[in-house]
Amino acid sequence: MMISPGVYAEQLKDKSYRELLQERDELLAYIRTFEENEEKGDRTGIEWQRMPSPDVQYQMDLEYLAAVCLVLAEKYREERE
């Protein structure tokens, strides 16, 4: 089951700047992998038999990336003051 981007962002609030960078990088890795496979038309993996399907996960990862970037910017400002 997926959570909303707002709930996801709320769960990130206590992470350090460095941890947020890692979270962002992991999301980007998942996004890039999906995009590479999608470009090839590769939908043969077992993950296509699960719910949510990779295309739904991809869309949510994009929303999570937006959320983590907002929290990351906020944390950057806090830690630099």
Side-chain angles (χ1 to χ4, degrees), residues 62-74:
L62 290 172
E63 292 192 37
Y64 293 160
L65 178 60
V68 76
C69 286
L70 291 173
V71 176
L72 188 58
E74 206 174 287

Side-chain angles (χ1 to χ4, degrees), residues 8-25:
Y8 174 76
E10 194 60 38
Q11 292 177 349
L12 299 173
K13 295 280 184 184
D14 293 330
K15 291 189 180 238
S16 70
Y17 179 74
R18 190 65 50 203
E19 290 171 317
L20 291 169
L21 290 174
Q22 183 176 350
E23 187 78 21
R24 180 205 58 196
D25 292 347

Side-chain angles (χ1 to χ4, degrees), residues 15-51:
K15 291 189 180 238
S16 70
Y17 179 74
R18 190 65 50 203
E19 290 171 317
L20 291 169
L21 290 174
Q22 183 176 350
E23 187 78 21
R24 180 205 58 196
D25 292 347
E26 288 174 13
L27 283 168
L28 284 170
Y30 290 130
I31 289 167
R32 285 185 181 119
T33 298
F34 176 85
E35 290 171 346
E36 288 168 5
N37 289 336
E38 190 68 9
E39 194 170 299
K40 295 177 200 169
D42 182 4
R43 292 187 173 201
T44 59
I46 193 163
E47 62 273 5
W48 283 97
Q49 297 172 14
R50 292 190 216 132
M51 293 301 231

